[in-house]
Amino acid sequence: MKVRIKKWNAVATWRWDIPDDDVCGICQVHFDGTCPTCKYPGDDCSLLSGKCGHNFHMHCIVEWIKQESSKGQCPMCRQKFEWTDNPALNAPAIVAG
Amino acid sequence: MASSNRLRRIGKELADIQGDTASRIKAEPANGGSDLGHLHASFPGPPETPYEGGTYVVDVILPNEYPFKPPQMKFKTKLWHPNVSSQTGAICLDTLGTAWSPVLTIKSALLSLQSLLSTPEPKDPQDAEVASMLMKNPDQFQRVAREWAIKYANAPKSTQWETNIAHSPTNSRPKPQKNISREEQMRLEAARYQGYNKDLIDRFVNMGFDIDRVVEAFIFVNIDKNNGEDYELEEAYMGDITARLLGEP
C-alpha cells in the first residue's frame, strides 16, 4: 500500500531545557509557567541562568538584583549573580509532539 | 500587580504549610480574617530545651515587597531567650533582616526561629538582661526559661526535659540559697541605681540593657543625679549614653 501525504500540520510543544520539577525559587512557580507578572511563557518571559548554576525567571531575578539588600548576590548561594549566555537556556528546547 | 504576585506566593506557601503535618508548624490569616498580609503562625518548642512542650505563636506581617523584603516576625508568646525581647517579642535573627533571600519562605523562617530556640546566641542579644543571665548563671537561665514556657507557652509541667535535668548531676546538686528579706532586697535594688531616679534609669533598662550597665554609662557621661528626681535628658546626653551602652567609641 502506498500512502501519499497531501497535507500535514506540524504540532510541537516546548519546554525549558532544565530538570522537570524545577520551580523558580523566587516566585515558586514552575519554570514552564510564567513569572507572576507575565501572561504567556516563552521568549517574552525567559529564564536567566547564573554562572553559579541557579536559574530564575528573568523578571524575578532582575527584581531581586534591583533591591539594595540583594548586594547583587544569587538568592540561592549568595555568590555574585552573573548570568551566562548559555544558548540551551536562552532559547527554548523544541520537543516535537 | 506586584501585590497579586505576593498574594499568589503567600497562598501557595500557606497551602504547603497546611499540607505538611510532620513539622507541626501552623500558619493562617490573623484573627480568622482573609488578609494574607497578616498571619498568625505557631511552632512547637524544640525538644531537649526549656521550651519543650510549649507552643510558640508568632505574628507575621508580609510587607508589600514580599518576597523581596523579609517577613516581619515577632513572638506573641512571651519567652525567655537572649535573642528575643522578653518585653515585646522582637526577634534578633539575621535571616529576618540583612541576610534575607527571596528563596526563603515563611516556613523556612519559622524553622529558623525554632532552631534559634535550641541555639541561643548571647553575644548578639536582643534582650541584654536575658543574655547576661545566660552567660553569668546558666542554671538560673534554664529555670526561668522553663517557668516562662509553662506559664506562657502552655508547656506541661513534666516533660522529658525535666526528667533529664533532674537526673543530670550538675543540676541536681543543692545550690546555696540565700534567704534575704523583701526589705533587704529592695534596699539592694535601690543601691543599684546609685542615687539616680529609677524611672530615669529604667527608660534605658526597658530598651533591654542591664541596670548596672545603664548606671555605669550615666556615671561615665557624668549625668546629673538631680537629687534622685526624674527629668528629661537632653538629646546629646541621650546619644552619649546610648553610644556608651552600645560600646561605640
Side-chain angles (χ1 to χ4, degrees), chain A residues 25-29 36-37 56 60 63-64 67 69 71 75-76 78, chain B residues 1 5 8-9 12 67-69 95 98-105:
Chain A
I26 297 176
C27 65
Q28 313 272 340
V29 174
T37 42
F56 304 95
C60 294
E63 188 64 30
W64 168 241
Q67 308 282 325
S69 54
K71 300 181 207 99
M76 286 287 186
R78 299 189 199 279
Chain B
M1 191 76 105
N5 302 343
R8 200 172 349 164
R9 188 178 135 159
K12 267 180 182 242
F68 298 106
K69 293 264 188 303
T95 36
T98 53
W100 171 257
S101 149
V103 298
L104 299 174
T105 60

